[in-house]
Amino acid sequence: MNEQIPATLKSSPVIKRHTSNPILSAKNVPYKAALIFNAGIAKFNGKYVMVFRNDYGSIPEQRLDGTNIGIAFSNDGISWDVAPKPCFDLADGEITRAYDPRLTVMDGRCYMCFAVDTNHGVRGGIAVTDDFERFEILSLSVPDNRNMVLFPEKIGGNYVRLERPFPVYSRGGKDRFDIWISASPDLKYWGDSHLLLGVEHVPFANDKIGPGAPPIKTKAGWLTMFHSVDIDSRRGKNGWEDSWKKRYCAGIMLLDLSDPSKVSGISKQPLIAPEADYETKNGFRNDVIFPGGMVLEDSGEVKIYYGAADTVECLATAHVDDLIALCTKER
Ligand code: BMA
C-alpha cells in the first residue's frame, strides 16, 4: 500500500480548466440550495443535460437540512439553465436522501445511477427516464455500495456497471475500498462480479477509490475516470468541518473494449488534483475533486465534469488522444 503520498500533487498538463469555472453553483439555482456538486452529465436529444446534487440549508449558519437532485440543460455544455424545481428526491423515511447521480444514454433512453442513504445502509440505484420528470427505479443494491456507473452499451450480451462496495471487515479496519465490475441481463439482477482495480494499484491513493465518469468508447478502449483518495493524519481543519484529512483527485484509466474487467492502461499520475482556488479554498470540504461525467465531442475534445470542494460544479477539457496516451505511455 502507498502510505506516503506527496503533499503536493499536480494536475496533468493535458487538461485545461474552463475559464467560466465554477460552471454551476448555488447562486444559479432558483430554489433552496447551498452546495451544488457531484453532477452527472450526458448529451441527450440534442442538449446537454446535467443532474446535480444539491445539499440545501443556510450557508451563513453552515447548517445543511437535506439533499435533492436538481436538473439543468445547456446548448454548449458550459452555460446552464436550471429547471425551476428538483427532479429527483426519494426521501421517504427509510431512504433519507439520494445523491451523486451519473448519467448514461443507451438505446435512446437516459439511465441515472445514484446513491441512497437509508436507515439500513448505503445503496446504489439505477433508474431510467425519457423526460426527467418520471423515473422508473430498475434496481437498488444491498448495502453498502455506491458510485455506480453504467457502460453505454451491452458487452458480451450483458449490461455492465462499475461500482464501489465498501467492505468494513476485510481490509484492516480502514477505508480500503476498491472498484468492482458486475454484469446483468436486464439491469435488475446483477452478478458475475469481479475486482477491477484495488486502492493499491493507484500510486496516488492510500485510502479508497471509486468509479467517477461513465465510460466513453474510444478506439483504444473504454476510457473512464475514477476518484482517488489519500489520507494524511497531519491534515486538520480544511473547510467547514472541524477536521478533514482527505484529498480527492481524479484518475483516468482504459478498460479493454471486449472484456472491460481488464484494465488495459492507467495513468500513474492524477488527471486532476486540487489546485484552483474553487477546489482548495472556502468549500465545505476543501481539496475534493469528484469526477462524474465525460462527453466526447466529434472534434476529439472531451468535456470533463467534476464536483469541487463539495461546493460547486466545474468543467475541464482535454483531447481524447492525450487522455489515451496518459493511460498507455508508461506501460
Ligand atoms: C464521499 C461522498 C461524496 C463526497 C466525498 C467527499 O464519501 O460522500 O459525495 O463528495 O465523500 O466529501
Side-chain angles (χ1 to χ4, degrees), residues 97-273:
R97 61 176 183 162
Y99 57 100
D100 292 1
R102 270 78 168 219
L103 293 180
T104 296
V105 174
M106 193 165 20
D107 299 330
R109 307 196 76 195
C110 197
Y111 293 85
M112 184 171 84
C113 296
F114 53 92
V116 288
D117 288 353
T118 81
N119 296 334
H120 296 86
V122 179
R123 307 175 70 183
I126 301 175
V128 64
T129 184
D130 300 308
D131 56 11
F132 300 102
E133 282 174 18
R134 287 170 300 265
F135 289 83
E136 183 191 349
I137 310 285
L138 302 173
S139 71
L140 279 173
S141 74
V142 289
D144 281 331
N145 201 341
R146 68 176 166 205
N147 297 309
M148 282 169 186
V149 301
L150 267 182
F151 285 69
E153 60 187 69
K154 284 183 169 178
I155 305 168
N158 282 316
Y159 297 98
V160 185
R161 76 182 181 199
L162 305 180
E163 58 197 320
R164 211 290 302 284
F166 21 141
V168 291
Y169 283 120
S170 62
R171 309 221 43 207
K174 294 182 173 168
D175 289 2
R176 296 280 193 248
F177 308 147
D178 315 294
I179 298 177
W180 288 68
I181 186 165
S182 299
S184 168
D186 56 4
L187 292 161
K188 178 171 178 161
Y189 297 100
W190 289 90
D192 195 19
S193 302
H194 299 277
L195 176 67
L196 181 87
L197 189 73
V199 184
E200 66 277 17
H201 300 130
V202 179
F204 45 97
N206 66 8
D207 186 56
K208 58 181 175 175
I209 56 175
I216 55 174
K217 197 175 192 177
T218 73
K219 56 186 185 314
W222 294 104
L223 189 63
T224 190
M225 286 190 295
F226 55 91
H227 66 258
S228 158
V229 183
D230 77 279
I231 195 157
D232 185 333
S233 56
R234 291 165 302 185
R235 293 183 190 132
K237 185 162 172 59
N238 185 9
W240 295 14
E241 295 203 277
D242 289 340
S243 175
W244 178 240
K245 299 185 184 303
K246 293 176 186 170
R247 168 175 54 186
Y248 279 60
C249 294
I252 188 146
M253 65 179 161
L254 265 179
L255 308 179
D256 187 86
L257 274 187
S258 54
D259 179 1
S261 68
K262 288 190 189 133
V263 177
S264 43
I266 182 166
S267 174
K268 305 278 190 310
Q269 309 290 333
L271 180 67
I272 312 177

Side-chain angles (χ1 to χ4, degrees), residues 268-291:
K268 305 278 190 310
Q269 309 290 333
L271 180 67
I272 312 177
E275 289 169 306
D277 281 359
Y278 46 82
E279 298 161 354
T280 60
K281 294 190 171 69
N282 305 319
F284 178 68
R285 287 174 167 174
N286 292 327
D287 299 322
V288 176
I289 303 285
F290 201 83

